[in-house]
Amino acid sequence: MSLSGLGDTGKAQPPPALFPAPESDTPTPGRRRGGAPQIRPSQDGSVQNSPPQTDDAGRQLVFFGADAAEPTVADLAGLLAGPGEVVRMGGTARLSVQVDAAWRVHVLVAELASRGLAASWEPTEGARHAVRTSYTRVLKPLAAAWLHGTTKRPPAAFHLTGRRLRLWLAAAGTPEPPDCFLLRLGADDQECWEPIGVALASAGLAGTLLGPAEGGPAYRIAGRRRLARLAELVGGAPNLAPPEAWPT
């Protein structure tokens, strides 16, 4: 069903319960949050050197933080670092991810829209929701980079930026009081787990890999210093996220 509320049968369908349709929590392409100057990534996903960025209050922005660049389709690699999946069909590809809360549906739909991608959702077993894009050529490069046959694996140069972490957190991040946060992984993506851990460590977020028997698969980010680092990278909580569901 589409987020506009109409399913394939033409009958009106409500969005996930408890939340009204929100305004986009992320800036649309071409619009800058707070008017701050932006760093634009190059075609290969790297970020060009430039002077430190500041917001309107004069605070220096984290170089790879969520506020340091405008949204791009390449950011969706953050969903693939977690439980997201990408599949190909001909010259197109589709991205999907299952989430456990209605607020995550709205946040992800807004994030996808800010990158020019329409999304649909549907309820699944266990009070979960599947969020997915349409098949589109726009996602073909992402699929080509991550798929080896039908197996998902990060590209060799994969790294985690603030925007990628923000998407991962919105889809599959859960707090573990008092000073831990879990970033959940795809249950069938064992080939991803180790290189994703390397990317986390490179971002200053070295975590402990939890296997399925330990409540995972997930990386546990522990300690106040690492949680502070995570918070500065992902930026402020989305409007609909419960306060306890986002690092501060």
Side-chain angles (χ1 to χ4, degrees), residues 137-173:
R137 294 183 182 275
V138 173
L139 295 174
K140 182 180 177 181
L142 194 68
W146 279 78
L147 290 181
H148 299 261
T150 58
T151 301
K152 188 179 84 173
R153 189 187 309 152
F158 177 69
H159 62 281
L160 285 163
T161 64
R163 287 199 176 277
R164 291 177 180 184
L165 281 162
R166 184 177 179 87
L167 286 166
W168 186 1
L169 195 72

Side-chain angles (χ1 to χ4, degrees), residues 8-101:
D8 294 337
T9 62
K11 296 180 180 179
Q13 300 291 340
L18 303 181
F19 294 99
E23 296 181 0
S24 173
D25 184 72
T26 55
T28 55
R31 188 182 71 196
R32 298 175 176 178
R33 183 179 300 182
Q38 304 293 307
I39 302 173
R40 292 181 179 273
S42 62
Q43 290 298 320
D44 63 2
S46 62
V47 179
Q48 303 300 316
N49 291 332
S50 64
Q53 305 294 296
T54 58
D55 62 13
D56 288 343
R59 295 184 296 267
Q60 184 170 318
L61 300 179
V62 180
F63 186 68
F64 285 109
D67 289 317
E70 295 181 2
T72 69
V73 172
D75 301 334
L76 301 180
L79 294 176
L80 298 180
E85 299 292 338
V86 64
V87 294
R88 287 181 283 208
M89 183 175 69
T92 67
R94 181 178 73 183
L95 185 79
S96 63
V97 62
Q98 287 203 26
V99 299
D100 62 6

Side-chain angles (χ1 to χ4, degrees), residues 85-127:
E85 299 292 338
V86 64
V87 294
R88 287 181 283 208
M89 183 175 69
T92 67
R94 181 178 73 183
L95 185 79
S96 63
V97 62
Q98 287 203 26
V99 299
D100 62 6
W103 69 267
R104 299 187 194 272
V105 175
H106 287 281
V107 171
L108 291 179
V109 168
E111 291 279 6
L112 290 165
S114 75
R115 292 161 175 85
L117 294 168
S120 61
W121 68 272
E122 65 180 6
T124 61
E125 294 181 0

